Amino acid sequence: MARKFPMNNEKDSKAAFFFLFLYTASTLIRPHEMFQASVEWIVIKVFAIIAFGLVLMVQRPLKLYPQHWMLLSLVPLIIISGFLNGSGMFGIEEAKMLLISAIIPLFLMSTCITTIKRQHILMVVCLIAALLMVHNGHVQQTAYEGFGWALHTHSVGYIDLGERRITYLGFFNDPNDLGMFLVMNLPFAMYFYSKGKFLIKLIMLAILCALGYGIFLTGSRGSMLGAGGLIGIYLLVVNAGPKLFISVVLLAPIAATVITSLQSSIDSSANGRLEAWYAGIQMLMANPVFGVGKGRFYDHHGLVAHNSYIHVAGELGVPGYSLWGGALIFTVLTGYLFIKASKLKKEAAAAESIINKDLNENINEAFENERLLNKTLFFSMIGFMITGFFISRMFTLTLFIFMGMAIASHIRMVKVCPEYQEHFSSSPALRSMGYCWVVIVAVYISLKLGL
């Protein structure tokens, strides 16, 4: 399912990665939006176009992996869905947005991050962006009318009652988006903590505290559950066997629905969330092939679904959700399979005491580095899956930046351990398109049982 363009030589463009670095920094930190004079500059688009052009001209070989094909297949589906639901031009516009803000960034990330050093650079960019968001949010807690130091950013909520949910620039102007990003950065801080010496460990502990503080300031319950869920999933992956882990994954959507249902008796927001989930499933059942059209959930219900999985299923039907959910689940599943395979590989090597100096030491070091990065990005994606269950952020740029990093890690992992190719192929990708329906079925069963 991975298509390789015919090329003669392997070429790795440093210039393409440089502009990808600028694109990532400008997208996450958004320095041009901190000043009135530059707020309208289109630097993000310029950096993306240059990076994309350099990749096509210089980077070799070029490959499209299952996630690329799944998301590319959504483009015509979104257009057809739009026309069938009476909004063809709107469907074309939504498809164009998907291509620009999801598929191209995903392709750039997965193609250009060819080394561990490059991965580290972008991880540091993410952590710097997260710290700036937290500091800006801290300022919003005490500033007049909740304004932060970043241009025009201010907290939201009932300020007179002491509720100040922090925000940042660009698409982080919603506390839920900001909280999701902070949750997905927690594994990055833990990675550098595990790799660093005393000073780095101290810095990473401080960053972890800052991220936790920022998540609290967002007031996002989904983000708080995401942070707590990461700890639970970590313990399961590290200590539990595959069967227990899979059982928990199957039961998690039901548990989340039960928690929301119990909360609904005292919280009108939770009650509205359950109603939106049920409405989304009804949209899916009424329009199983093409859904109600991307961007049309609000038109049919009056609220967003507050659940990324239900939202996509309602808007794009069975094929659309299978493609989107398949790309997400395949990325997470590959990471998990690599973690378990790596654990077995380490145990086998230790049992046989195979340590052949020189070349094998270098191979073992490369394997260990890639193993830790794969594990880190796996937990970042888990952070999205948990927080995404409580908010509608199915096409947020944050998802595709992190997904692209994860795919790049998988590509490098296969190069170090070619035997892992079986976990990163078309067969598990196709199965993932079925696995993703566990979430929808579990929520539907819970709702039908009156939870």
Side-chain angles (χ1 to χ4, degrees):
M1 208 163 176
R3 181 178 176 182
K4 181 177 179 180
F5 293 86
M7 299 296 170
N8 296 325
N9 302 315
E10 267 198 37
K11 295 182 181 179
D12 193 6
S13 174
K14 293 181 179 179
F17 176 74
F18 174 71
F19 282 99
L20 177 64
F21 162 77
L22 294 178
Y23 168 79
T24 306
S26 59
T27 298
L28 300 178
I29 300 174
R30 314 190 78 83
H32 59 289
E33 294 182 0
M34 295 181 183
F35 307 97
Q36 190 64 52
S38 57
V39 70
E40 297 295 333
W41 291 2
I42 57 171
V43 293
I44 295 177
K45 292 181 180 179
V46 170
F47 292 148
I49 291 171
I50 295 175
F52 187 64
L54 287 170
V55 165
L56 294 182
M57 290 188 295
V58 181
Q59 197 86 6
R60 298 294 183 269
L62 293 179
K63 289 184 179 180
L64 293 181
Y65 291 89
Q67 295 93 327
H68 300 137
W69 287 114
M70 290 177 186
L71 293 170
L72 279 170
S73 300
L74 279 176
V75 173
L77 189 146
I78 289 170
I79 295 174
I80 295 171
S81 177
F83 276 103
L84 292 178
N85 285 284
S87 55
M89 295 308 298
F90 184 71
I92 293 174
E93 186 65 27
E94 288 290 319
K96 184 180 77 173
M97 288 176 58
L98 175 70
L99 188 66
I100 294 172
S101 63
I103 298 174
I104 290 178
L106 177 72
F107 176 72
L108 291 176
M109 289 283 171
S110 58
T111 303
C112 292
I113 310 176
T114 55
T115 65
I116 290 176
K117 182 178 179 181
R118 292 183 179 185
Q119 184 70 75
H120 286 173
I121 290 172
L122 294 190
M123 289 167 70
V124 170
V125 169
C126 289
L127 287 175
I128 291 173
L131 290 176
L132 289 172
M133 293 174 192
V134 174
H135 186 264
N136 183 67
H138 174 72
V139 173
Q140 291 174 357
Q141 295 300 295
T142 55
Y144 177 69
E145 292 188 349
F147 281 92
W149 52 259
L151 185 65
H152 302 321
T153 60
H154 58 86
S155 58
V156 297
Y158 299 102
I159 295 178
D160 293 339
L161 300 178
E163 182 185 16
R164 295 195 174 198
R165 302 182 64 195
I166 65 173
T167 63
Y168 191 63
L169 299 163
F171 62 94
F172 296 111
N173 62 354
D174 187 300
N176 294 313
D177 292 276
L178 201 161
M180 173 183 281
F181 180 70
L182 297 181
V183 168
M184 295 175 76
N185 271 279
L186 290 171
F188 285 7
M190 287 301 301
Y191 170 83
F192 288 117
Y193 174 86
S194 67
K195 295 279 289 183
K197 296 183 179 179
F198 179 73
L199 180 59
I200 296 298
K201 289 184 183 296
L202 283 180
I203 293 173
M204 288 304 133
L205 281 175
I207 290 176
L208 282 169
C209 292
L211 293 176
Y213 175 60
I215 292 168
F216 171 74
L217 293 182
T218 64
S220 171
R221 285 171 291 187
S223 298
M224 294 178 191
L225 286 170
L230 274 180
I231 299 174
I233 296 295
Y234 174 81
L235 295 174
L236 278 171
V237 170
V238 172
N239 299 315
K243 291 183 179 179
L244 178 58
F245 175 74
I246 293 171
S247 299
V248 172
V249 170
L250 294 175
L251 294 173
I254 296 177
T257 307
V258 170
I259 292 171
T260 305
S261 178
L262 293 174
Q263 191 181 31
S264 66
S265 61
I266 57 174
D267 188 338
S268 61
S269 174
N271 189 52
R273 196 180 302 260
L274 289 174
E275 292 177 357
W277 294 359
Y278 189 75
I281 291 177
Q282 292 301 308
M283 293 178 202
L284 170 65
M285 296 175 69
N287 305 274
V289 180
F290 291 106
V292 299
K294 186 174 182 296
R296 300 293 303 276
F297 193 103
Y298 183 88
D299 296 338
H300 285 75
H301 180 63
L303 294 171
V304 296
H306 294 290
N307 183 303
S308 298
Y309 309 91
I310 298 293
H311 202 121
V312 176
E315 287 191 344
L316 298 180
V318 172
Y321 177 75
S322 297
L323 291 168
W324 177 86
L328 174 62
I329 297 301
F330 178 55
T331 304
V332 175
L333 177 63
T334 301
Y336 175 72
L337 292 176
F338 281 4
I339 289 172
K340 303 313 291 184
S342 299
K343 185 176 180 181
L344 293 175
K345 185 182 179 77
K346 286 189 66 178
E347 290 173 351
E352 297 174 11
S353 300
I354 300 177
I355 303 176
N356 194 353
K357 306 287 182 181
D358 303 327
L359 179 61
N360 277 341
E361 280 192 356
N362 294 330
I363 293 174
N364 290 336
E365 182 180 357
F367 166 75
E368 183 65 14
N369 289 334
E370 293 294 359
R371 183 188 71 83
L372 290 174
L373 272 175
N374 168 69
K375 191 174 180 180
T376 298
L377 290 161
F378 166 79
F379 285 112
S380 288
M381 292 300 298
I382 289 292
F384 171 83
M385 289 190 66
I386 298 173
T387 53
F389 192 87
F390 299 98
I391 57 176
S392 292
R393 294 296 182 273
M394 45 283 164
F395 297 110
T396 176
L397 182 55
T398 302
L399 167 61
F400 298 102
I401 288 176
F402 280 79
M403 185 185 289
M405 290 182 185
I407 295 172
S409 172
H410 299 159
I411 295 170
R412 297 194 309 270
M413 195 76 172
V414 169
K415 286 183 178 180
V416 175
C417 301
E419 64 270 25
Y420 287 7
Q421 181 63 56
E422 63 177 307
H423 302 313
F424 191 45
S425 60
S426 59
S427 180
L430 291 173
R431 291 199 301 270
S432 297
M433 295 175 67
Y435 295 156
C436 66
W437 283 95
V438 169
V439 177
I440 305 299
V441 172
V443 172
Y444 177 72
I445 291 174
S446 300
L447 291 173
K448 291 299 288 184
L449 291 176
L451 296 175

